[in-house]
Amino acid sequence: MVDSIFFLHKLISCGPCDEVSFYMNLAFYSIQIQIETLEKHHECLKRQRDAVKYRLKKLAARQSEITKKSSVIREKIIRKYREIQAALDEDLRITLSHLEMEERAAVSALDGLMERNCSLIQEIEQDLARLTVAIMAQSDTEHDTMSFFSFPEQRDTETVDRVMDLLNRTDPSSVSLDEVKADQILSLTHNMLLFISSQTPLIRKLTHSYSSEVYLDPETSHPKLIISPQGDSATYTDTWQQLPDLPGRFDTTLNVISVQGFSCGRHYWEIDVSGKTYWELGVTYPSIPRKGNTEDCWLGRGVESWCVEFFDGEYTAWHGGLPHQLPFTKRFSRIGVLCSFPAGLVTFLEAENMTPLFSFCAGTFSECLHLAVCPGHDHKGTNANPIVICNASSPTSDQE
């Protein structure tokens, strides 16, 4: 550029010259300016390219870092679950070994009693055999042979006494397991099961700790929505209500958003959609369009909102007008919505089992977020149920 200025100054300061030379020099100057401009643009593009390449490198490094961190966290959690399983397996082994030891002792005691009974039966059988032989040979039996049965009444009395004594000593009820102890073990294991069940899925307790109470804003609701006095439900009505045409009121889509908006921390809500055949719910920026037939007024169709829709037995997640078909066919009765500002994440859950349905990662939210719901038309009575927010009795939210 300096050379061009110098050349222009020289051209002007020169003495009179013919017209052809002047225009030739002017054309040369113009070409020089164009070349310098192109070179400058070329350098600028190179710098921009290098900046984008550097950002791409940083993004790739961040992606790798997140993948590694997630892998480390996953391995730690797996290890803890394995330790829990190992502790339970060891406790089961010890408990069963105690039961088996007691069983062996009881079985051994019963073996001894059964052996004594068998021994006496064998003696009685021998006496019966000798007596049978004696009876059959009574007519020609010698006196010495009958000497064994010389006093049958006395021997009968002795045998009865021995049998009664043995029966008293070998009463089956005298040998038993410690059933009270067994019942206590069963009670303890049942209590353990109840405790574990109360803690699982682990994510339930954690997620519920983010519960935040919200109420629907009647000043934003479509005129065909009835908002409950408590602000916790929206019901479709076929009658257009005479409501003030406020700037924040949806006038085409059957939407309503919450009074509360959140800009930090983690927040969780559960919405009851039982008995409904169509609904939309999610979160939105307050800047979502609310007037006219523009598609962005629908939840998830613009960049201002994220939602899950249930329609015709199918679930679809929406954001920025892009649909994501979800692989679920069961009609869920309660849906959870979790938004995390630290992670820039919006997650939808099946609330009963905390099954993840879909997650959106926004990176960073540019505005505060409001809960948004759409109960849909009643569809000839098949979708007449309200959509209800299940506020926690003692809501807390993480403000980290």
Side-chain angles (χ1 to χ4, degrees):
M1 188 64 180
V2 175
D3 292 340
S4 298
I5 296 174
F6 174 75
F7 176 79
L8 180 61
H9 176 73
K10 182 177 180 182
L11 179 63
I12 296 173
S13 62
C14 288
C17 58
D18 58 60
E19 186 176 349
V20 174
S21 297
F22 176 79
Y23 282 109
M24 288 180 63
N25 290 332
L26 185 60
F28 178 75
Y29 166 75
S30 178
I31 292 172
Q32 285 292 106
I33 293 296
Q34 292 179 13
I35 291 173
E36 290 178 5
T37 301
L38 291 174
E39 288 178 345
K40 183 178 179 181
H41 183 57
H42 183 265
E43 289 299 320
C44 181
L45 287 177
K46 284 177 64 178
R47 288 195 298 271
Q48 297 304 314
R49 180 198 62 189
D50 292 343
V52 174
K53 281 186 174 181
Y54 183 73
R55 175 51 54 87
L56 182 62
K57 182 179 179 181
K58 287 292 186 180
L59 288 171
R62 183 61 173 169
Q63 185 182 61
S64 177
E65 178 185 356
I66 288 176
T67 301
K68 289 179 180 178
K69 282 185 177 180
S70 179
S71 178
V72 170
I73 293 172
R74 186 182 299 109
E75 288 301 318
K76 287 182 178 179
I77 292 174
I78 291 174
R79 188 158 53 247
K80 288 300 177 184
Y81 269 91
R82 287 175 177 168
E83 289 174 3
I84 293 171
Q85 185 63 55
L88 288 174
D89 287 344
E90 176 63 12
D91 191 64
L92 175 62
R93 185 192 67 79
I94 293 173
T95 301
L96 292 180
S97 67
H98 278 266
L99 293 175
E100 289 169 1
M101 182 173 60
E102 294 174 5
E103 178 189 356
R104 286 196 301 269
V107 169
S108 177
L110 288 169
D111 281 341
L113 297 180
M114 291 167 64
E115 184 177 349
R116 293 172 63 183
N117 278 265
C118 289
S119 177
L120 182 56
I121 289 174
Q122 187 176 7
E123 291 181 17
I124 294 174
E125 290 287 355
Q126 290 175 353
D127 286 348
L128 284 171
R130 286 196 293 268
L131 184 57
T132 301
V133 171
I135 291 173
M136 293 177 62
Q138 182 177 6
S139 59
D140 53 355
T141 300
E142 296 180 0
H143 179 74
D144 291 341
T145 307
M146 294 294 296
S147 62
F148 175 77
F149 303 102
S150 298
F151 310 99
E153 292 182 2
Q154 180 181 352
R155 295 196 62 82
D156 286 347
T157 301
E158 291 177 357
T159 301
V160 170
D161 290 342
R162 290 177 62 194
V163 169
M164 292 304 298
D165 181 63
L166 180 65
L167 292 179
N168 290 331
R169 291 175 178 272
T170 61
D171 183 0
S173 62
S174 65
V175 180
S176 63
L177 294 174
D178 189 344
E179 295 185 12
V180 173
K181 177 182 177 182
D183 289 341
Q184 290 175 332
I185 293 175
L186 285 173
S187 177
L188 289 171
T189 54
H190 180 67
N191 291 339
M192 186 186 298
L193 175 61
L194 291 177
F195 175 75
I196 293 174
S197 297
S198 70
Q199 303 299 309
T200 58
L202 287 178
I203 199 69
R204 177 187 286 121
K205 187 172 183 179
L206 178 64
T207 303
H208 282 184
S209 71
Y210 305 142
S211 294
S212 300
E213 201 161 8
V214 293
Y215 302 98
L216 299 176
D217 186 355
E219 295 188 353
T220 68
S221 65
H222 186 277
K224 285 193 173 184
L225 294 184
I226 298 176
I227 308 304
S228 66
Q230 298 79 15
D232 61 353
S233 70
T235 308
Y236 174 81
T237 175
D238 202 35
T239 302
W240 185 282
Q241 303 174 90
Q242 297 302 316
L243 301 175
D245 186 17
L246 302 174
R249 188 181 303 284
F250 292 93
D251 65 359
T252 302
T253 54
L254 298 170
N255 296 339
V256 58
I257 69 174
S258 65
V259 174
Q260 297 85 351
F262 302 89
S263 57
C264 62
R266 303 171 184 86
H267 304 275
Y268 177 70
W269 307 280
E270 287 187 0
I271 297 89
D272 189 343
V273 292
S274 56
K276 297 189 66 61
T277 58
Y278 170 63
W279 48 261
E280 295 180 14
L281 58 90
V283 294
T284 182
Y285 292 149
S287 59
I288 184 174
R290 310 188 190 195
K291 304 295 184 182
N293 295 319
T294 174
E295 188 174 312
D296 288 354
C297 293
W298 292 86
L299 297 181
R301 273 49 169 194
V303 296
E304 302 89 357
S305 59
W306 298 257
C307 90
V308 164
E309 171 192 75
F310 178 71
F311 179 69
D312 198 23
E314 295 183 347
Y315 294 88
T316 308
W318 288 89
H319 174 63
L322 296 177
H324 304 271
Q325 199 72 34
L326 306 185
F328 303 97
T329 56
K330 180 181 177 181
R331 186 182 295 185
F332 301 125
S333 60
R334 186 175 288 198
I335 302 297
V337 182
L338 172 67
C339 63
S340 170
F341 282 85
L345 200 68
V346 177
T347 298
F348 295 90
L349 309 164
E350 186 277 306
E352 183 178 355
N353 296 313
M354 305 306 288
T355 302
L357 302 180
F358 196 83
S359 288
F360 293 101
C361 188
T364 302
F365 297 112
S366 59
E367 302 179 49
C368 66
L369 290 176
H370 292 255
L371 180 65
V373 300
C374 169
H377 294 82
D378 65 354
H379 290 174
K380 298 181 180 179
T382 61
N383 192 46
N385 284 10
I387 193 168
V388 181
I389 299 172
C390 307
N391 280 316
S393 56
S394 300
T396 59
S397 62
D398 181 12
Q399 297 296 327
E400 292 180 0

